[in-house]
């Protein structure tokens, strides 16, 4: 005899197991690794919101970016809305990110779409970058487009990735953070530096390189000019300096 309750229970368990399998080794949450800066009332600050998925929150990239800005006249005040496996479409439909853009009085909003979405669904990617960009402009802030890197063993995706980001920049005229380009440059010139922890998530060196690119994009200053000793991951000095130099040499436009 057919048992509907048992059938539904099995279905729910199947969905749960599939979800766990999809997540694989993805950290569902990244606790802050770096102390957040505090600001006196009225003190100059650059207000930044980061929207994305695990590529953004791994290794506390938001906190690391803020530490890089500590010596600037207007250091970064940072907020993040980041969830595992979240695309910009998910963030848009969830509405929390849109409401925060409208209310947060940000100077910049950094947008990062789901890791392979620019390759697998470029039109959807373009659509939601455009939707967010309009909200960001309406709020008085500026958009920074976070360029994803390619997954391990999928380096063939790079031309398609570049093409999609080119369309995004042409439509939005947003600022471009060439993180994927910096990763490719690093792979070509310093293959000894491991940027990937698994097939897609960054090592501490990978997040350090991303932070260098974002610092350069925000402040229009070379990452190689940052103070020698900064809070950050325990990387050899020669690796840190190589990553800063690579960040400075990455193309500022989406070019193959």
């Amino acid at each position: 005899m057919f048992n509907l309750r048992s059938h539904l229970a099995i279905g729910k368990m199947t969905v749960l197991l599939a979800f766990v399998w999809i997540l694989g080794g993805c950290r569902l949450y990244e606790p802050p690794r770096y102390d957040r800066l505090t600001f006196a009332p009225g003190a100059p600050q650059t207000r930044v919101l980061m929207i994305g998925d695990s590529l953004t929150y791994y290794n506390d990239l938001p906190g690391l970016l803020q530490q890089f800005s500590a010596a600037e006249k207007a250091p970064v005040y940072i907020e993040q809305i980041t969830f595992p496996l979240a695309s910009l479409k998910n963030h848009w439909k969830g509405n929390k990110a849109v409401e925060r853009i409208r209310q947060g009085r940000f100077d910049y909003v950094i947008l990062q779409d789901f890791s392979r979405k620019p390759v697998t669904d470029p039109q959807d990617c373009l659509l939601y970058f455009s939707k967010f960009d309009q909200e960001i402009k309406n709020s008085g802030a500026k958009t920074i487009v976070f360029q994803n890197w390619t997954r391990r063993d999928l380096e063939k995706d790079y031309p398609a990735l570049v093409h999609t980001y080119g369309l995004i920049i042409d439509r939005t005229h947003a600022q471009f953070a060439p993180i994927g380009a910096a990763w490719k440059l690093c792979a070509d010139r310093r293959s000894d530096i491991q940027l990937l922890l698994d097939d897609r998530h960054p090592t501490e060196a990978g997040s350090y390189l991303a932070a260098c690119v974002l610092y350069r994009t925000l402040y229009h200053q070379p990452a190689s000019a940052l103070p020698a000793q900064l809070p950050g991951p325990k990387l050899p000095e020669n690796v840190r300096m190589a990553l800063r130099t690579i960040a400075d040499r990455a193309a500022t436009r989406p070019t193959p």
Side-chain angles (χ1 to χ4, degrees):
M1 184 176 180
F2 180 75
N3 188 319
L4 179 60
R5 182 173 296 177
S6 297
H7 186 73
L8 290 174
I10 291 171
K12 289 180 180 179
M13 181 59 69
T14 301
V15 171
L16 177 60
L17 290 174
F19 182 69
V20 172
W21 179 80
I22 289 171
L23 285 177
C26 181
R27 303 170 192 158
L28 304 185
Y29 168 71
E30 186 76 43
R33 298 187 179 195
Y34 307 101
D35 293 335
R36 297 306 193 250
L37 302 180
T38 56
F39 296 88
Q45 56 185 260
T46 303
R47 295 179 61 82
V48 177
L49 172 64
M50 300 184 75
I51 299 172
D53 67 6
S54 53
L55 303 193
T56 290
Y57 68 68
Y58 255 53
N59 306 313
D60 191 16
L61 174 59
L64 181 58
L65 174 61
Q66 188 187 55
Q67 292 297 325
F68 279 11
S69 77
E72 298 294 330
K73 292 181 179 178
V76 165
Y77 163 86
I78 197 77
E79 290 187 27
Q80 68 188 86
I81 299 177
T82 52
F83 299 102
L85 299 176
S87 66
L88 290 181
K89 182 177 181 178
N90 298 143
H91 282 296
W92 181 268
K93 292 183 177 297
N95 205 41
K96 180 180 178 182
V98 175
E99 288 303 313
R100 194 68 196 116
I101 289 168
R102 291 172 178 171
Q103 299 169 4
R105 297 179 293 106
F106 294 104
D107 298 299
Y108 296 94
V109 179
I110 299 172
L111 299 176
Q112 180 255 314
D113 208 347
F114 178 64
S115 61
R116 205 161 172 250
K117 190 75 173 286
V119 175
T120 60
D121 197 347
Q123 290 306 312
D124 193 77
C125 183
L126 177 60
L127 173 63
Y128 285 95
F129 265 105
S130 300
K131 284 178 176 286
F132 268 108
D133 178 66
Q134 191 57 57
E135 285 290 342
I136 292 164
K137 286 174 178 171
N138 290 344
S139 75
K142 296 179 181 178
T143 301
I144 293 178
V145 174
F146 180 124
Q147 183 194 29
N148 293 354
W149 49 84
T150 56
R151 292 188 185 182
R152 176 171 288 154
D153 299 326
L154 287 175
E155 291 80 7
K156 63 181 178 58
D157 283 351
Y158 189 70
L161 192 78
V162 168
H163 179 70
T164 299
Y165 283 106
L167 295 176
I168 291 165
I169 297 304
D170 285 345
R171 179 174 293 186
T172 63
H173 303 288
Q175 294 191 43
F176 180 62
I179 296 169
W183 276 52
K184 187 176 188 304
L185 189 61
C186 186
D188 291 343
R189 298 189 180 182
R190 287 297 304 267
S191 59
D192 58 304
I193 300 177
Q194 297 300 311
L195 301 179
L196 282 171
L197 186 64
D198 47 34
D199 70 323
R200 73 196 69 176
H201 296 108
T203 60
E204 290 187 335
S207 294
Y208 190 92
L209 179 55
C212 288
V213 174
L214 289 170
Y215 168 82
R216 173 192 173 201
T217 305
L218 278 169
Y219 289 100
H220 307 288
Q221 298 287 342
S224 54
L226 282 163
Q229 297 301 321
L230 284 171
K234 294 181 180 179
L235 300 172
E237 183 177 359
N238 70 311
V239 170
R240 286 189 285 108
M241 296 311 297
L243 292 172
R244 293 182 187 189
T245 300
I246 288 167
D248 292 341
R249 291 178 177 174
T252 55
R253 293 284 299 174
T255 54

